[in-house]
């Protein structure tokens, strides 16, 4: 049984052929398929090829059926390896997952960043993400007082 | 380069939604961009277990609680009327219940879809959940509160899909569950029913978990759409109604007292006279109710109690896979009848095979020597036999030989030894025994035995 293929085009002009069933995990793509405007391929103006490759890798892994049976435990282990990426790549992946509306990938990438924030002091969080503290000492004191309980 | 701060607001809200509200609030001080981001996360996840530090003095705690209340009030004020998705409140250290009522009402008014409450008071009383209008609620989880929804029309939960009640003191009328039109999953754990009869009647329910409930009268279930049923309970007074004709999987683990077991084993029981035994016999109504099941798990206690239901044991026409856990203090009296009543069984999983020996299990195993040994096995079409928790004893090996000999359609036998099981010295002996067994029993050429140690395949034997 041959599977229907569609073509995805990255912002930097590269084309990727993907099974339709795999690609429609993206709600954005699914709607385009429904509206029948995919004949010449789908241009993804907001997604670079480097990121699109990762997105396709994710969607292929998560297209679970008889040909690709996989347990939740194995998927969790795979997620960990998959998300072992540079920060800038993670953020681009977040934006791509949001734009393509792939809920599980969006949740995974955001959870990864949340895990980088969890358990850290504000100073440590700033250091992890290179965030510049633009509060004056008085302003900072005011914020601490506002949310006193959180800083106890 | 600071990539994270340049992400759009909605993305940052989503990232912060994976943190508790307290953790997310720490980000308020990162930079001006982050100051109030956390207040727009459409979840409130608040757990006061951070207060439970033994070193803190009582005054300290009071001050912290005050600032905690202030904090929640402020976040809610900042959120104004914006929609909220989830409110999770876990309060164990005493608080102003009037204030908490206010928080819950606020969330309900803003369309909260998931409510998760654990509220323990200092006094012996339960916190009474007074809210009644849960128009948008899709998931409701309640722990340690009291729920009083007795008057008709008292409760409005039109979109509720998941209801989890844990250690709740429940006062509801018998139509309560049927008035939840969208319910798909119901979990009842350690719920105190105050002596009332339990009636779970719902046309849409798919998953039902009933564990460790207390003070219940009779237990009735009318759930025609139920797919999964997990039941870990003391034996109820009676099971008047059990309707689960589309059941796929059932896990039944009865909790019994030693007295109940001894009475069940007594040779000359006058059932009418003995209350305790009568109750156990009523189990047959529960078992009849689940007879359409395809995957079934029975605990050692359940298997023993079924010894009182042998004459009325239903036929499990759809049962493909049966898992039985065994314990050396519980018997296999019901095993022969059970195996005879599974005409389409494909897989039999035995978690442990050593059991309390009685003369009634004789047909199914070789504990007691008898003439018609194994006859209830010869009518059982099982193809795959799995023995888990194998300890490498001689007795077990003889039992495996017995099964291999008498199950006529057996194609595959998998034996699992735990990593922490018998020392490696026994494994070679087990291998020798299996090799001998393969030679002895001329099975079809596709019959094989696999020995797995610590979850990995150690050795495989195929018949010649």
């Amino acid at each position: 049984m041959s599977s229907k293929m569609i073509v995805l085009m990255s912002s930097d002009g590269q084309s990727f052929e993907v099974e339709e069933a795999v690609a429609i995990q993206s709600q954005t793509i699914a709607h385009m398929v429904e509206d029948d405007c995919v004949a010449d391929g789908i241009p993804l103006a907001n997604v670079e090829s480097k990121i699109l490759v990762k997105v396709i890798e994710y969607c292929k892994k998560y297209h679970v059926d008889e040909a690709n049976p996989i347990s939740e435990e194995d998927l969790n282990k795979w997620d960990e390896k998959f998300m072992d990426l540079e920060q800038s790549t993670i953020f681009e992946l977040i934006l791509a997952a949001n734009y393509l509306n792939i809920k599980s990938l969006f949740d995974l990438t955001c959870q990864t960043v949340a895990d980088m924030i969890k358990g850290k002091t504000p100073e440590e969080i700033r250091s992890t993400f290179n965030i510049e503290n633009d509060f004056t000492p008085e302003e900072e004191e005011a914020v601490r007082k506002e949310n006193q309980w959180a800083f106890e | 380069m600071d990539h994270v701060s340049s992400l759009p607001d909605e993305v940052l809200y989503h990232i912060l939604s994976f943190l508790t509200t307290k953790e997310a609030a720490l980000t308020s001080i990162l930079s001006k961009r982050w100051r109030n981001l956390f207040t727009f996360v459409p979840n409130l996840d608040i757990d006061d277990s951070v207060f439970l530090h033994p070193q803190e003095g009582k005054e300290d705690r009071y001050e912290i609680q005050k600032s905690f209340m202030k904090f929640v009030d402020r976040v809610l004020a900042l959120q104004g009327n914006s929609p909220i998705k989830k409110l999770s409140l876990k309060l164990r250290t005493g608080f102003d219940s009037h204030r908490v009522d206010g928080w819950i009402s606020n969330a309900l008014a803003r369309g909260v879809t998931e409510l998760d409450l654990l509220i323990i008071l200092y006094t012996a009383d339960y916190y009474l959940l007074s809210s009644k209008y849960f128009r948008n609620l899709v998931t409701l989880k309640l722990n340690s509160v009291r729920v009083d929804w007795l008057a008709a029309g008292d409760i409005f939960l039109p979109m509720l899909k998941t209801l989890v009640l844990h250690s709740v003191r429940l006062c509801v009328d018998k139509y309560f569950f049927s008035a939840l039109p969208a319910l798909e999953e119901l979990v009842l754990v350690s719920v105190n029913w105050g002596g009332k009869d339990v009636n779970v009647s719902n046309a849409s329910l798919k998953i039902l978990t009933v564990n460790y409930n207390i003070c219940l009268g009779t237990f009735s279930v009318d759930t025609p759409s139920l797919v999964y049923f997990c039941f870990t309970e003391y034996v109820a007074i009676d099971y008047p109604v059990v309707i689960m004709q589309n059941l796929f999987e059932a896990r039944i683990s009865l909790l019994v007292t030693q007295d109940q077991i001894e009475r069940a084993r007594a040779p000359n029981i006058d059932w009418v006279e003995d209350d305790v035994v009568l109750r156990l016999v009523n189990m047959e109504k529960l078992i009849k109710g689940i007879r359409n099941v395809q995957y079934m798990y029975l605990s050692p206690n359940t298997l023993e109690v079924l010894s009182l239901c042998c004459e009325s044991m239903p036929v499990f026409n759809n049962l493909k896979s049966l898992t039985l856990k065994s314990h050396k203090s519980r018997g296999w009296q019901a095993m022969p009848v059970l195996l005879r009543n599974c005409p389409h069984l494909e897989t039999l999983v035995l978690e442990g095979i050593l059991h309390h020996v009685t003369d009634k299990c004789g047909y199914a195993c070789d504990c007691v020597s008898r003439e018609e040994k194994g006859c209830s096995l010869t009518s059982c079409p099982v193809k795959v036999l799995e023995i888990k928790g194998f300890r490498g004893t001689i007795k077990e090996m003889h039992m495996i030989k017995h099964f291999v000999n008498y199950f006529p359609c057996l194609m595959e036998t998998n034996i699992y030894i735990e990593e922490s099981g018998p020392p490696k010295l026994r494994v070679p002996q087990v291998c020798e025994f299996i090799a001998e067994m393969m030679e002895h029993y001329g099975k079809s050429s596709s019959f094989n035995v696999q020995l797995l140690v610590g979850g990995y395949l150690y050795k495989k034997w195929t018949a010649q």
Side-chain angles (χ1 to χ4, degrees), chain A residues 78-127:
Chain A
W78 186 87
D79 283 351
E80 256 188 78
K81 284 211 209 110
F82 178 77
M83 288 306 296
D84 185 14
L85 301 162
E86 270 182 37
Q87 255 189 45
S88 56
T89 313
I90 296 179
F91 296 130
E92 288 181 69
L93 207 48
I94 288 181
L95 292 171
N98 193 23
Y99 168 67
L100 291 170
N101 200 345
I102 306 172
K103 183 175 190 304
S104 60
L105 181 58
F106 189 49
D107 283 347
L108 174 63
T109 48
C110 287
Q111 172 83 68
T112 303
V113 177
D115 290 343
M116 288 159 75
I117 296 175
K118 215 187 234 303
K120 292 197 169 92
T121 64
E123 293 73 30
E124 287 165 345
I125 299 173
R126 281 194 204 110
S127 160

Side-chain angles (χ1 to χ4, degrees), chain A residues 87-88 91-92 94-95 98 103 106-111 113-115 117-123 125-126 129-136 139-152, chain B residues 1-5 7-8 10-11 14-16 18-23 25-36 38-39 46-48 50-51 63-65 67-72 74-75:
Chain A
Q87 255 189 45
S88 56
F91 296 130
E92 288 181 69
I94 288 181
L95 292 171
N98 193 23
K103 183 175 190 304
F106 189 49
D107 283 347
L108 174 63
T109 48
C110 287
Q111 172 83 68
V113 177
D115 290 343
I117 296 175
K118 215 187 234 303
K120 292 197 169 92
T121 64
E123 293 73 30
I125 299 173
R126 281 194 204 110
F129 296 106
N130 279 322
I131 301 174
E132 199 194 305
N133 181 0
D134 53 357
F135 284 122
T136 66
E139 284 168 334
E140 195 175 315
E141 193 47 44
V143 177
R144 273 187 198 271
K145 256 194 105 177
E146 251 167 33
N147 299 314
Q148 192 178 345
W149 175 71
F151 292 100
E152 298 286 346
Chain B
M1 235 223 89
D2 175 6
H3 297 281
V4 73
S5 302
L7 290 171
E10 323 86 62
V11 172
H14 195 62
I15 291 174
L16 292 176
F18 289 101
L19 301 168
T20 64
T21 303
K22 193 171 201 274
E23 288 167 340
L26 286 181
T27 65
S28 61
I29 208 153
L30 293 177
S31 74
K32 289 183 182 171
R33 164 107 174 85
W34 289 82
R35 186 168 182 166
N36 281 326
F38 81 95
T39 62
I46 295 179
D47 187 331
D48 78 349
V50 294
F51 293 141
E63 283 306 314
I64 294 177
Q65 279 177 20
S67 78
F68 164 68
M69 302 270 176
K70 230 175 81 177
F71 174 82
V72 177
R74 178 177 168 262
V75 170

Side-chain angles (χ1 to χ4, degrees), chain B residues 70-88:
Chain B
K70 230 175 81 177
F71 174 82
V72 177
D73 284 342
R74 178 177 168 262
V75 170
L76 287 176
L78 277 174
Q79 289 187 339
N81 280 326
S82 63
I84 184 171
K85 285 197 209 134
K86 176 175 171 177
L87 172 62
S88 167

Side-chain angles (χ1 to χ4, degrees), chain B residues 403-420:
Chain B
F403 290 132
V404 167
N405 190 25
Y406 286 104
F407 278 133
C409 311
L410 200 60
M411 306 266 296
E412 193 177 310
T413 299
N414 299 324
I415 304 170
Y416 296 79
I417 297 184
E418 312 285 294
E419 228 162 49
S420 56

Side-chain angles (χ1 to χ4, degrees), chain B residues 155-166:
Chain B
I155 189 68
F156 188 57
L157 286 158
M159 308 197 45
L160 195 71
K161 277 200 186 151
T162 302
L163 179 60
V164 176
L165 301 175
H166 198 305

